[in-house]
Amino acid sequence: MIRIPSNTVDIRLIRSALPAVLVLAASACASGPHPHRHHAESAQAMFRPGKAALDSGDYDRAIRDFQNLQAEYPYGPYAEQAQLDTAYAYYKQGDSKAAVAAADAFIKAHPVNPHVDYAWYLKGLAQYQAIEGAEFDPRPDYQALQTFRYVAKTYPKSAYALSARLHIAKIIDILGERNLRICKFYYVRHAFVAAANRCVRVIRDYQLSPARNMALYYLARSYRRLDLLGLARTTAIILHHNAPTAPETKKLRALWQQTARG
């Protein structure tokens, strides 16, 4: 499983700032009628052991305590915090699907909450956590890419925006490499149309990926094998223009020269 890189925002630090909102909310409730004060105090009492379990890494206990709190007191700041912390606990536990579901539940229930950007970011992290590598199911890659793009676009000034953009770049690299492998798979089996189509996808959708040069190389070779010499030459020119000293450019030039001599 791909590990989250060190440039990821430390969400433990961000989370530590969230209880301040709860303190303010509890204070406001305490100044009201007695039933509201009792409700806040009871919810706070149920929240404390869950938070202590979360901070100590006992994620099963934290999830159980937070779920009990939400069942008893489904509304209010402690319930909202418990929802966020449940998603975080699932993520730390490595249960990506449950973390995504918990984050989605918070987003749906509290779309204008001041910490909804955190919920979106945590959802992206959980989806990213599910990525197994270039040979496996690509759906988590696309899902994480979509989520991180949403965070970067919708919350550009958020504390999570930079990390979201860094994750976008990493996922583009992964998807570029995945599609390049498929291109090679088709090419060695002489399925040149399929190989060309897959290389075009790398060049078009993941042009910032390191796989782009190799995709241009195989695209040019696929066109040659299909007797589309004009397209092959144009592709070779594009590769030479973008990366004149790249190994792929040199190999393609050598192949062209060898063909011309033959």
Side-chain angles (χ1 to χ4, degrees), residues 12-65:
R12 293 172 300 173
L13 300 179
I14 303 297
R15 283 185 58 261
S16 66
L18 302 186
V21 177
L22 300 181
V23 173
L24 294 175
S27 299
C29 292
S31 63
H34 179 74
H36 295 284
R37 181 171 67 250
H38 176 73
H39 181 286
E41 290 172 351
S42 299
Q44 184 182 39
M46 291 189 71
F47 180 79
R48 285 197 189 107
K51 183 179 184 303
L54 186 66
D55 291 342
S56 67
D58 187 352
Y59 302 119
D60 284 329
R61 171 68 184 274
I63 291 167
R64 188 164 59 250
D65 287 347

Side-chain angles (χ1 to χ4, degrees), residues 221-236:
R221 294 198 63 171
S222 296
Y223 282 150
R224 282 175 62 88
R225 299 297 295 267
L226 292 167
D227 290 326
L228 299 173
L229 300 182
L231 288 175
R233 186 172 297 276
T234 299
T235 304

Side-chain angles (χ1 to χ4, degrees), residues 15-243:
R15 283 185 58 261
S16 66
L18 302 186
V21 177
L22 300 181
V23 173
L24 294 175
S27 299
C29 292
S31 63
H34 179 74
H36 295 284
R37 181 171 67 250
H38 176 73
H39 181 286
E41 290 172 351
S42 299
Q44 184 182 39
M46 291 189 71
F47 180 79
R48 285 197 189 107
K51 183 179 184 303
L54 186 66
D55 291 342
S56 67
D58 187 352
Y59 302 119
D60 284 329
R61 171 68 184 274
I63 291 167
R64 188 164 59 250
D65 287 347
F66 290 141
Q67 288 176 339
N68 290 338
L69 167 61
Q70 292 173 72
E72 188 73 21
Y73 301 101
Y75 305 107
Y78 287 101
E80 294 177 17
Q81 183 66 46
Q83 277 188 294
L84 282 174
D85 285 345
T86 298
Y88 175 77
Y90 277 128
Y91 163 70
K92 293 295 290 181
Q93 204 174 44
D95 192 340
S96 304
K97 290 184 178 179
V100 169
D104 271 336
F106 181 89
I107 293 166
K108 183 177 180 180
H110 313 289
V112 296
N113 184 280
H115 301 296
V116 73
D117 59 334
Y118 169 84
W120 276 104
Y121 175 71
L122 185 54
K123 176 182 175 179
L125 287 183
Q127 291 166 331
Y128 185 86
Q129 187 182 57
I131 297 173
E132 294 289 345
E135 306 85 1
F136 294 84
D137 183 1
R139 284 175 295 181
D141 307 63
Y142 295 114
Q143 291 166 350
L145 182 62
Q146 182 179 13
T147 300
F148 284 128
R149 280 176 169 167
Y150 180 85
V151 172
K153 181 178 180 180
T154 309
Y155 309 103
K157 296 183 180 180
S158 167
Y160 315 104
L162 176 59
S163 181
R165 288 192 289 270
L166 293 172
H167 279 82
I168 289 169
K170 178 62 176 177
I171 295 167
I172 286 174
D173 289 354
I174 293 170
L175 288 172
E177 179 61 28
R178 181 193 306 279
N179 282 277
L180 178 62
R181 291 189 185 190
I182 296 172
C183 168
K184 292 178 180 179
F185 174 87
Y186 286 133
Y187 184 87
V188 298
R189 287 160 178 79
H190 295 183
F192 301 119
V193 172
N197 288 337
R198 190 61 64 159
C199 287
V200 167
R201 180 180 295 186
V202 175
I203 298 160
R204 181 191 63 208
D205 296 341
Y206 313 112
Q207 57 183 286
L208 298 180
S209 166
R212 181 191 61 179
N213 289 346
M214 188 61 77
L216 285 166
Y217 171 78
Y218 275 102
L219 180 59
R221 294 198 63 171
S222 296
Y223 282 150
R224 282 175 62 88
R225 299 297 295 267
L226 292 167
D227 290 326
L228 299 173
L229 300 182
L231 288 175
R233 186 172 297 276
T234 299
T235 304
I237 291 171
I238 292 172
L239 176 58
H240 176 78
H241 177 76
N242 289 330

